[in-house]
Amino acid sequence: RFQDSMSSVKRHKFWETQPVGQFKDVGDTSLPDGSIELPTPLSEVKQEPYNLPSPYEWTTCDMDSEETCTEVYILLKNNYVEDDENLFRFNYSKEFLRWALRPPGYYKSWHIGVRAKASKKLVAFITGVPARIRVRNEIVKMAEINFLCVHKKLRSKRLAPVMIKEVTRRVHLENIWQAAYTAGVVLPTPITTCQYWHRSLNPKKLIEVGFSRLGARMTMSRTIKLYKLPDSPVTPGFRKMELRDVSAITRLLRNYLSQFVVSPDFDENDVQHWLLPTEDVVDSYLVESPETHDITDFCSFYALPSSILGNQNYSILKAAYSYYNVSTKTPLFQLMNDALIVAKRKDFDVFNALDVMHNESFLKELKFGPGDGQLHYYLYNYRIRNALRPSELGLVLL
Ligand code: NHW
């Protein structure tokens, strides 16, 4: 058989055993879209946790506990995702982790840790949170899987497959049979592959820490001038979202997201949790028409700093990540320009966005530059025969 991509040649000893789209099936039009495996009766779900290598034990991480939350924070701060050149590592804050892991209806049992039996040190982590995800016309209960992390000293020992099987078992125990996740690595098989774009807000610092480089025939002062932004938003009626806006924002967002092939099915509780501003975690702004008081547009971003590894002058890169944005009246590029302005005022160094939804329409115009890493989106136990274009995706995972 003709193999046309590198990833289809590579073996995946674990993933080949899982109900996910397989590379060998790419292009096979006889397979139906939707669930790959049927649910089994709950009584047939394995009742005991999977076996870990004997020096380790399972722990359920209580994110309400300041002490446990700190342990998780430290594990991720030292061992979670780095860029290709190992210049930066995600540094999710404790408040962010509590927000990401305790949405409406969350299960404590899906916040899974591994400890060394002898020292009780936390050495690995994986989480799920429940979500309703719409795929075309079907609303599917899923787990969003995130924060898979194995301590650097325990890598390449096949611990990750055990963690994935254990979270799968605990999700099954709640009668949920599908999941959504993203990764920088290619696995069988992405529903779409997105690219990060970066908009410099503090170009001098970004260049000094190696995040970006001075362009050809550019000086530092010309670069600073190029990325300069006004001091305050320009759209009349642009203001921070408040609790009283939840129902209007829910309507606006539901209507907007319905055009994409895959998107979350947010209700008012979800919108209150995921989009109501939380200091240093998530920020949302809207446009309220000065005449009619209608809420016509919305934008949001979350705060995810990275540690800067080995720089004399700086230790933290402050990054804002574009979340959900809706424009019905204000042009999207103007709305996002106002988002850049408020992010700059909050001292973020860079504003990141994926090429999902309608983001392509403003990236170049607003001086975002393409990043080098790609982000692959996956579904577990749900086949989408034909990969989507990033612009058909209405889902942002943290
Ligand atoms: S992606 C971020 C993942 N974390 C990091 O990159 C942090 C730094 N790296 C590490 O901690 C966002 C380790 O390298 C990890 C792998 C732990 C990544 N997703 O233990 P082994 C998420 O959190 C496969 C899935 O020896 P290791 C999403 C790999 O292909 N699989 O490796 C998480 C190989 O399998 P293969 C991944 O380096 C989604 C096997 O793991 C993966 O010591 C999880 C090797 O294991 C990744 N990011 O540890 C899936 N990276 O078949 C959820 C590697 O190829 C699925 N692997 O031989 C749904 C579950 C719920 C279903 C419910 C119905």
Side-chain angles (χ1 to χ4, degrees):
R1 177 200 285 246
F2 176 62
Q3 302 278 5
D4 65 343
S5 86
M6 285 302 289
S7 39
S8 62
V9 192
K10 208 172 135 201
R11 303 285 293 172
H12 290 282
K13 271 229 153 333
F14 168 66
W15 281 109
E16 282 169 10
T17 68
Q18 298 298 300
V20 294
Q22 298 293 335
F23 290 121
K24 67 174 174 50
D25 298 333
V26 169
D28 184 341
T29 52
S30 70
L31 297 166
D33 276 9
S35 294
I36 296 170
E37 273 179 6
L38 292 174
T40 57
L42 287 185
S43 59
E44 285 171 26
V45 177
K46 187 168 142 54
Q47 293 299 304
E48 332 70 48
Y50 282 89
N51 289 326
L52 282 168
S54 66
Y56 305 104
E57 63 189 20
W58 296 112
T59 181
T60 295
C61 294
D62 178 0
M63 296 304 289
D64 299 335
S65 147
E66 183 61 35
E67 196 190 338
T68 309
C69 188
T70 302
E71 287 182 277
V72 169
Y73 167 76
I74 297 287
L75 173 73
L76 297 177
K77 174 183 179 322
N78 294 328
N79 301 277
Y80 202 49
V81 178
E82 299 178 9
D83 67 303
D84 292 338
E85 294 165 284
N86 311 102
L87 291 173
F88 310 100
R89 192 186 305 123
F90 283 146
N91 183 0
Y92 287 90
S93 69
K94 289 197 251 182
E95 309 76 68
F96 191 110
L97 293 169
R98 287 200 199 94
W99 170 69
L101 295 177
R102 298 184 306 175
Y106 79 93
Y107 303 98
K108 223 172 245 182
S109 61
W110 292 6
H111 303 159
I112 307 172
V114 173
R115 292 186 189 280
K117 274 183 192 160
S119 65
K120 299 291 179 230
K121 185 180 147 93
L122 187 70
V123 295
F125 193 57
I126 190 169
T127 67
V129 293
R132 293 177 316 280
I133 305 287
R134 184 187 49 77
V135 185
R136 301 209 161 86
N137 298 321
E138 189 186 9
I139 291 171
V140 186
K141 278 184 146 187
M142 295 199 193
E144 291 176 352
I145 307 297
N146 205 351
F147 305 114
L148 168 59
C149 182
V150 168
H151 193 284
K152 286 186 178 223
K153 295 207 165 133
L154 298 178
R155 297 278 168 87
S156 304
K157 297 177 187 297
R158 311 302 296 182
L159 213 52
V162 187
M163 313 235 7
I164 294 167
K165 284 192 275 186
E166 181 60 15
V167 76
T168 302
R169 188 184 72 82
R170 297 192 195 190
V171 170
H172 285 168
L173 285 172
E174 304 300 340
N175 201 19
I176 295 176
W177 304 88
Q178 270 76 30
Y181 50 104
T182 57
V185 294
V186 178
L187 303 165
T189 51
I191 60 162
T192 187
T193 294
C194 302
Q195 196 174 28
Y196 266 113
W197 290 67
H198 309 284
R199 202 310 180 168
S200 300
L201 302 174
N202 186 355
K204 185 164 182 285
K205 174 171 169 185
L206 294 179
I207 290 167
E208 281 178 16
V209 303
F211 184 89
S212 42
R213 269 182 302 223
L214 212 50
R217 283 168 274 105
M218 283 294 276
T219 62
M220 188 62 85
S221 59
R222 281 185 67 199
T223 306
I224 292 167
K225 202 172 148 205
L226 176 69
Y227 291 115
K228 224 170 161 45
L229 288 162
D231 289 326
S232 40
V234 300
T235 309
F238 188 90
R239 64 165 172 86
K240 213 177 179 81
M241 177 190 174
E242 298 172 22
L243 186 58
R244 64 185 163 103
D245 302 314
V246 164
S247 75
I249 295 300
T250 305
R251 265 180 279 129
L252 194 66
L253 196 60
R254 287 184 64 85
N255 181 48
Y256 180 75
L257 291 177
S258 68
Q259 69 189 293
F260 303 105
V261 178
V262 175
S263 80
D265 178 59
F266 282 148
D267 65 18
E268 293 192 4
N269 284 325
D270 301 317
V271 166
Q272 181 172 336
H273 178 83
W274 291 121
L275 294 164
L276 194 62
T278 300
E279 182 83 354
D280 297 329
V281 172
V282 63
D283 231 327
S284 299
Y285 292 82
L286 52 77
V287 181
E288 175 177 344
S289 160
E291 299 88 37
T292 64
H293 297 286
D294 286 341
I295 292 166
T296 54
D297 313 276
F298 173 78
C299 63
S300 59
F301 53 87
Y302 58 86
L304 167 48
S306 281
S307 305
I308 303 173
L309 308 174
N311 184 280
Q312 298 292 310
N313 301 319
Y314 296 105
S315 59
I316 289 284
L317 186 72
K318 290 191 72 184
Y321 286 73
S322 173
Y323 199 27
Y324 292 97
N325 310 305
V326 182
S327 100
T328 69
K329 192 159 149 269
T330 309
L332 188 57
F333 91 93
Q334 185 184 324
L335 188 69
M336 295 311 294
N337 195 50
D338 282 344
L340 294 176
I341 292 166
V342 294
K344 170 73 191 170
R345 214 168 42 187
K346 286 178 180 260
D347 205 35
F348 286 101
D349 299 313
V350 63
F351 192 101
N352 300 330
L354 290 164
D355 54 357
V356 298
M357 297 181 267
H358 295 146
N359 291 359
E360 280 241 79
S361 70
F362 64 75
L363 292 170
K364 285 185 183 146
E365 198 172 3
L366 291 178
K367 301 173 185 160
F368 285 72
D372 37 25
Q374 294 197 309
L375 188 68
H376 309 279
Y377 276 75
Y378 302 95
L379 297 180
Y380 184 95
N381 193 23
Y382 200 100
R383 184 186 295 110
I384 294 184
R385 241 169 327 174
N386 296 309
L388 311 180
R389 291 185 293 274
S391 60
E392 293 177 300
L393 188 73
L395 176 66
V396 177
L397 299 179
L398 304 171

